[in-house]
């Protein structure tokens, strides 16, 4: 389901047009967060716990360290205050600081779109301050090659 990859790109969210609340639509469920709680140091952050719940990842760890494991045993681990994530044993720069507590795991949006982007589709609408996350769907062509739909 959720394929992890260690590719990463950094980008600031200077293009968000205002400081209104940000709406996250994850698998059809809507979550509204304050701008000041999700845009930190010019970067958009997203709660990995919401993504994990949507993708049925296993969650383990403590209040300051959390591990997300996909059904194929690939995993991501974040430490509170850390600037790197562990992806399947490799350290990868986050491009920001992870904020881990018992009820949230905020990580940079750009990092997440690259780390779990193969199985999910992320759409950032800067006009409406909306982030939509859903499963990437595939179909097969005449040669049984999977193509995005």
């Amino acid at each position: 389901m959720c394929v992890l990859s260690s590719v990463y790109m950094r980008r600031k969210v200077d293009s968000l047009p205002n400081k209104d609340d940000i709406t996250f639509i994850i698998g059809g469920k809507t979550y509204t967060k304050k701008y000041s709680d999700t845009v930190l140091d010019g970067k958009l952050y997203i709660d990995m716990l919401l993504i994990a719940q949507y993708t049925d990842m296993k969650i383990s760890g403590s209040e300051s360290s959390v591990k997300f494991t996909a059904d194929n045993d690939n995993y991501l681990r974040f430490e509170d205050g850390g600037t790197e994530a562990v992806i399947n044993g490799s350290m990868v720069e986050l491009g920001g600081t992870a904020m881990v507590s018992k009820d949230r795991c905020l990580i940079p949006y750009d990092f997440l779109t690259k780390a779990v982007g193969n199985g999910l589709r992320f759409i950032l609408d800067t006009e409406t301050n909306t982030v939509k996350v859903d499963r990437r769907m595939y179909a097969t062509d005449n040669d049984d090659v999977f193509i995005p739909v």
Side-chain angles (χ1 to χ4, degrees), residues 1-140:
M1 293 234 168
C2 186
V3 178
L4 303 178
S5 129
S6 60
V7 179
Y8 170 68
M9 224 182 240
R10 189 191 325 205
R11 174 174 57 98
K12 285 203 170 208
V13 186
D14 297 327
S15 58
L16 288 177
N18 55 56
K19 298 195 189 287
D20 289 344
D21 291 344
I22 297 179
T23 301
F24 294 91
I25 304 169
I26 302 172
K29 292 185 180 179
T30 302
Y31 307 89
T32 302
K33 305 290 183 180
K34 291 182 182 178
Y35 183 95
S36 60
D37 292 339
T38 55
V39 177
L40 308 163
D41 295 325
K43 296 179 190 92
L44 178 63
Y45 279 72
I46 190 166
D47 191 343
M48 184 63 194
L49 292 175
L50 298 176
I51 301 299
Q53 291 167 359
Y54 173 57
T55 59
D56 296 323
M57 287 179 153
K58 294 177 189 138
I59 304 169
S60 58
S62 65
E63 283 191 29
S64 62
S65 175
V66 65
K67 181 179 178 182
F68 302 94
T69 306
D71 57 4
N72 54 7
D73 291 330
N74 287 324
Y75 71 90
L76 291 158
R77 184 174 37 227
F78 303 96
E79 302 283 334
D80 186 46
T83 58
E84 296 177 319
V86 178
I87 300 179
N88 299 327
S90 298
M91 300 294 282
V92 179
E93 289 289 322
L94 284 173
T97 303
M99 288 164 261
V100 179
S101 66
K102 71 176 187 175
D103 59 348
R104 71 180 189 166
C105 177
L106 294 180
I107 59 172
Y109 170 83
D110 283 335
F111 171 82
L112 183 64
T113 62
K114 302 303 177 198
V116 300
N118 290 338
L120 298 175
R121 178 174 47 197
F122 294 81
I123 301 168
L124 171 61
D125 183 341
T126 59
E127 294 298 314
T128 62
N129 282 4
T130 301
V131 175
K132 183 176 181 184
V133 181
D134 58 17
R135 294 194 189 278
R136 183 170 287 169
M137 304 304 277
Y138 293 90
T140 55

